[in-house]
Amino acid sequence: MDEITRDVVVIGAGAAGLTAANDLRKAGLSVAVLEARDRVGGRLWTDVVEGAMLELGGQWVSPDQQALIDTVEELGLTTYSRYREGDSVYVGADGEAKRFTGEMFPVAASTEKIIDEITVRLDAMVAEIDPDRPWEHPNAAEWDTVSWDAWLRQQTDDDEAVRNLAFATGSAMLTKPTHTFSLLQSLLMAASAGSYSNLVDADFILDKRVAGGLQAVPELLAERLGDDVFLNQPVRRIIWGADSATPDRAADSATGQRVDELRALTARVEAAKASAAGVTVIADGLTVRARFAILALAPVLYPRISFEPPLPRLQHQMHQHISMGFVIKVHAVYETPFWRAQGQSGTAFSPYELVHEAYDNTNHGDERGTLVGFVSDQNADDLFRLSAEERKERILESLSHYYGPEAKNTVVYYESDWGTEEWTRGAYAASFDLGGLHRYGADLREPVGAIHVACSDMAGAGYQHVDGAIRQGHRAAQEILERTRG
């Protein structure tokens, strides 16, 4: 096994890890980036499927995502606006497709009034939330122990209003059933975009795309690091603290079996937290000794790594209250963007449809047309109990309810299933269960000894987005730089 020494070892070559590594390199520190996959980008992945360029992961840039906008510009990339000319489509409880323009769905006047009133209320609540510290709000505990669905149903008994209000942070963003996460988690999701109104405005949150695909961001960041990015290197062990100089130390099979040994283990963990001995990171074909490490991967993947000594009990508890959502991103490519000729923008919504939202996702300069649709949470679970052909048939049938029978005639069809990705395990990002955010949120980004953390899952501003990953990469690098200067 090869062995190298660096100032900082970064685990994960997504936007967060590569941003941190570039910041540290610019400041004069040596770095190594270890990536388990055979590519960089993490949850950003642009690939060609049957001759069609598809953005299999994250892809959009919104006006509030300044960290991403700055990075895109600094890398010399160009953006273009999502196609949005023409009518949008909404399918209501009666199954009828209705075309509309503007932000409000074509619902009954009484339902529209309720949606407007509760949106104003939510915007006021979100305005009080610091997205980087939502647990500090005076009502954090109360808001974190009521589910998003239950809170909405306390406000109104209009089911259609509830479904449409719940949509933005439920199916669309956290991709979990709305009874499984809290009002506070939902408010954080909205605060990360500036307001609840921003989050429900597709023309805002899904504004632009990067020409050639958003994976170009991590790819260009990785190019600057050259041979210091190591692919196909899943990290198996991290030895931190006083024992970091002995990576081949045999494991003690009796550890934790007797009270005195448990006390000794606890003492080792406490000593490691205060130690300046650094870390030894052991991957499949490479060992890296470093002063600091950055875990630039989703917290749900931490259990894939053996920490010696174990992480403190707080981290063990906290990470049990975090889980990924689940969404199927559907790519449907057609000979032409036929919906445009029908006066449709391609934008479609319904809290009653299997495909709960869909958009024109045609690539810049492409003569063919592409729709992207999303199936999330319980619906996604249910679909994966079907065969691939049954799944495709059900999804295209749902798309046809928005766009007509032509939606079934694809030339390329592909489903991004991030739940099967070994080094991701869900989408779009991790969130806390009921009560977890106010209980553990303040500790989520805290370093443990020489180990720092960074990823979009723990962002405030830009939470769950590439923008948040970049912000967290900058933060982790700055933390380390401050320690080296201190």
Side-chain angles (χ1 to χ4, degrees):
M1 178 180 288
D2 293 334
E3 185 173 307
I4 60 176
T5 300
R6 295 289 191 273
D7 290 314
V8 184
V9 55
V10 179
I11 301 160
L18 293 168
T19 295
N22 273 275
D23 285 358
L24 293 164
R25 169 81 74 79
K26 289 176 186 176
L29 298 185
S30 60
V31 299
V33 181
L34 306 184
E35 169 57 50
R37 298 177 177 88
D38 60 359
R39 60 174 181 82
V40 301
R43 282 166 270 181
L44 297 183
W45 188 8
T46 307
D47 208 346
V48 176
V49 178
E50 299 177 25
M53 190 202 84
L54 304 179
E55 299 222 54
L56 307 181
Q59 64 174 76
W60 282 294
V61 183
S62 62
D64 63 315
Q65 295 177 346
Q66 196 58 51
L68 174 56
I69 292 169
D70 290 346
T71 300
V72 166
E73 292 178 352
E74 197 267 332
L75 292 172
L77 298 168
T78 58
T79 61
Y80 62 99
S81 296
R82 176 177 61 84
Y83 185 85
R84 62 195 77 180
E85 298 176 19
D87 295 336
S88 300
V89 178
Y90 173 79
V91 175
D94 59 2
E96 180 183 352
K98 299 176 182 177
R99 294 169 64 148
F100 70 102
T101 58
E103 295 180 20
M104 178 54 68
F105 306 136
V107 295
S110 58
T111 298
E112 180 176 344
K113 182 174 183 292
I114 291 168
I115 291 174
D116 283 340
E117 289 174 348
I118 297 178
T119 296
V120 169
R121 199 174 311 157
L122 286 167
D123 278 341
M125 295 165 72
V126 169
E128 298 176 356
I129 293 285
D130 179 348
D132 288 317
R133 286 172 286 276
W135 48 84
E136 292 184 355
H137 191 279
N139 297 329
E142 175 188 348
W143 291 350
D144 201 32
T145 50
V146 60
S147 77
W148 177 223
D149 182 77
W151 184 84
L152 286 171
R153 295 191 184 279
Q154 289 170 7
Q155 314 308 305
T156 178
D157 58 3
D158 186 319
D159 182 70
E160 188 166 17
V162 168
R163 287 172 179 262
N164 279 298
L165 286 161
F167 167 88
T169 55
S171 299
M173 295 307 307
L174 297 175
T175 64
K176 293 179 175 179
T178 54
H179 65 273
T180 64
F181 61 89
S182 72
L183 168 62
L184 184 66
Q185 187 78 61
S186 188
L187 295 175
L188 165 60
M189 188 73 251
S192 73
S195 69
Y196 180 81
S197 292
N198 282 348
L199 201 66
V200 300
D201 182 358
D203 288 347
F204 179 88
I205 204 72
L206 310 178
D207 182 27
K208 295 183 183 297
R209 294 175 60 191
V210 169
L214 195 53
Q215 192 186 359
V217 169
E219 287 175 337
L220 291 174
L221 290 173
E223 281 183 16
R224 294 179 172 181
L225 298 169
D227 292 339
D228 282 327
V229 178
F230 301 86
L231 301 180
N232 298 302
Q233 291 295 330
V235 170
R236 307 301 184 180
R237 295 169 63 196
I238 296 179
I239 303 169
W240 60 294
D243 289 339
S244 65
T246 57
D248 296 323
R249 175 181 55 81
D252 181 356
S253 61
T255 295
Q257 299 302 308
R258 295 170 54 189
V259 171
D260 56 344
E261 290 176 339
L262 180 57
R263 287 172 175 165
L265 178 61
T266 302
R268 280 182 60 209
V269 172
E270 292 303 311
K273 288 165 61 177
S275 173
V279 298
T280 298
V281 174
I282 303 168
D284 277 358
L286 183 66
T287 294
V288 184
R289 299 179 188 272
R291 298 165 63 189
F292 301 98
I294 297 177
L295 297 179
L297 67 167
V300 297
L301 295 175
Y302 294 176
R304 298 297 305 276
I305 302 171
S306 176
F307 292 88
E308 302 174 23
L311 291 174
R313 64 175 66 84
L314 175 62
Q315 277 67 32
H316 287 169
Q317 284 296 116
M318 173 169 57
H319 296 150
Q320 292 180 61
H321 293 272
I322 302 171
S323 62
M324 300 291 280
F326 185 39
V327 64
I328 305 169
K329 184 178 185 182
V330 178
H331 312 264
V333 183
Y334 303 88
E335 290 289 355
T336 65
F338 64 86
W339 52 92
R340 296 182 184 180
Q342 299 170 2
Q344 291 182 244
S345 65
T347 300
F349 302 97
S350 176
Y352 302 99
E353 279 293 328
L354 183 65
V355 179
H356 62 260
E357 59 182 323
Y359 305 94
D360 186 319
N361 212 39
T362 304
N363 292 322
H364 184 61
D366 194 348
E367 293 183 357
R368 293 184 297 182
T370 301
L371 292 172
V372 62
F374 299 89
V375 183
S376 72
D377 56 73
Q378 184 66 51
N379 283 331
D381 291 342
D382 293 343
L383 273 186
F384 273 102
R385 293 184 172 92
L386 305 178
S387 70
E389 282 305 312
E390 289 177 303
R391 195 164 59 244
K392 177 181 178 180
E393 182 180 350
R394 292 273 302 278
I395 288 172
L396 291 180
E397 176 65 30
S398 185
L399 285 176
S400 76
H401 298 167
Y402 297 123
Y403 306 105
E406 287 181 81
K408 298 181 181 181
N409 302 324
T410 60
V411 294
V412 178
Y413 176 87
Y414 185 80
E415 298 166 6
S416 295
D417 172 19
W418 287 91
T420 60
E421 286 284 315
E422 182 179 7
W423 306 111
T424 305
R425 299 193 167 190
Y428 303 107
S431 55
F432 280 101
D433 58 14
L434 275 173
L437 181 55
H438 87 280
R439 185 177 174 188
Y440 296 112
D443 301 295
L444 187 59
R445 298 189 289 261
E446 286 298 305
V448 178
I451 301 172
H452 293 248
V453 294
C455 67
S456 63
D457 310 65
M458 55 189 61
Y463 171 51
Q464 292 208 359
H465 290 90
V466 186
D467 179 76
I470 292 171
R471 290 173 189 267
Q472 291 303 301
H474 287 315
R475 175 195 54 76
Q478 186 59 37
E479 287 176 352
I480 289 174
L481 292 174
E482 289 174 359
R483 291 180 71 174
T484 62
R485 295 165 183 160

